[in-house]
Amino acid sequence: MDLPGGPTQPEVMAVSLAKLGIRLGDTVVDIGCGTGTVTLEMAKLAGPGGQVYAVDRRQEAIACTRETCKDREVEIFAGEALDFLALPHKPIDCAFLGGSRNMREILTRLQTEGTRSIVVNAVLLETAVETIHAMKELDIFIEAVHLQVSRSHDLVERIMFQPINPVYIIHGGRKC
C-alpha cells in the first residue's frame, strides 16, 4: 500500500534507529507509524521483553502497519498521538516521531514522562526548526542531522546517482 511520506528509506531508518538507541526490553512508540517499517525494526530491537506501540490517525496507515507487523507483538492505536499519550501505558523509553502534528505538545508530554530518547524525522524545514526550538526550550535537544541519500541509477549504460529528498533527523532526550 502506498502512503504519502512512506516508507522510511532504509538508510534514513538505520541512522534514526542508531540515534534512538533502543535496548532490549525497552518500551518504544512509533508516532505517525505510516507503513510500519520503522515499527517493525523497533520491535526487533526491543526484543521479546519489550513493549511496542504504533500510533497513526490515518486508517490506511493502521491497516498497513498491521500487515507489516503481523508477526510481531505490537499494540496499534488509531488516533491522535496526544490521545494515545493521555491513555494509561507503560513508561516510554524511546519515541520515534514521523509525523509533524502537535509536535511541541507531544515533545512536552514525552519529556514530562521521562522518555530517554526521542528521534524526529522531518522532511519540511519548518518542522525541523519547530522541533529544534521546542527541544531546546524543554532542555532535551541533543543534535540535528541533515541526511541526503542518493542511489545508483542506470543511465545510458552508465551509472549516475539519483538523490532522494533529504531528511532532518532531530535527536533529543534525557542528558546523561
Side-chain angles (χ1 to χ4, degrees):
M1 175 182 292
D2 285 338
L3 286 174
T8 300
Q9 298 297 317
E11 299 85 356
V12 172
M13 187 177 351
V15 173
S16 298
L17 292 173
K19 297 292 181 192
L20 205 51
I22 297 170
R23 302 173 188 158
L24 278 176
D26 272 352
T27 297
V28 299
V29 62
D30 182 359
I31 295 175
C33 60
T35 64
T37 56
V38 174
T39 310
L40 179 61
E41 295 306 313
M42 290 173 80
K44 290 176 185 177
L45 292 168
Q51 171 70 52
V52 182
Y53 299 110
V55 180
D56 207 297
R57 64 188 187 90
R58 302 167 295 167
Q59 287 304 318
E60 61 271 25
I62 294 299
C64 203
T65 296
R66 255 191 241 297
E67 179 60 27
T68 301
C69 299
K70 65 183 174 207
D71 296 329
R72 294 281 171 171
E73 240 181 83
V74 174
E75 194 171 320
I76 300 173
F77 179 82
E80 297 290 339
L82 290 172
D83 294 336
F84 165 77
L85 292 170
L87 295 172
H89 59 272
K90 289 180 75 175
I92 297 167
D93 297 302
C94 300
F96 176 82
L97 285 75
S100 60
R101 293 171 55 94
N102 305 309
M103 186 64 70
R104 185 174 300 273
E105 295 87 352
I106 293 167
L107 292 171
T108 300
R109 291 256 182 103
L110 293 170
Q111 186 261 354
T112 301
E113 190 169 315
T115 302
R116 183 181 74 240
S117 183
I118 303 163
V119 167
V120 176
N121 278 9
V123 294
L124 300 174
L125 185 56
E126 292 83 359
T127 303
V129 169
E130 176 190 0
T131 300
I132 291 167
H133 284 303
M135 284 185 174
K136 283 186 170 197
E137 287 172 14
L138 294 166
D139 195 31
I140 60 171
F141 178 75
I142 296 172
E143 71 175 331
V145 174
H146 179 250
L147 185 64
Q148 172 67 60
V149 174
S150 297
R151 287 213 183 89
S152 61
H153 176 74
D154 289 334
L155 179 69
V156 193
E157 298 179 16
R158 295 183 180 188
I159 295 176
M160 66 173 278
F161 278 90
Q162 190 167 36
I164 298 168
N165 288 338
V167 175
Y168 300 93
I169 300 170
I170 302 114
H171 183 206
R174 292 193 318 240
K175 296 174 182 166
C176 302

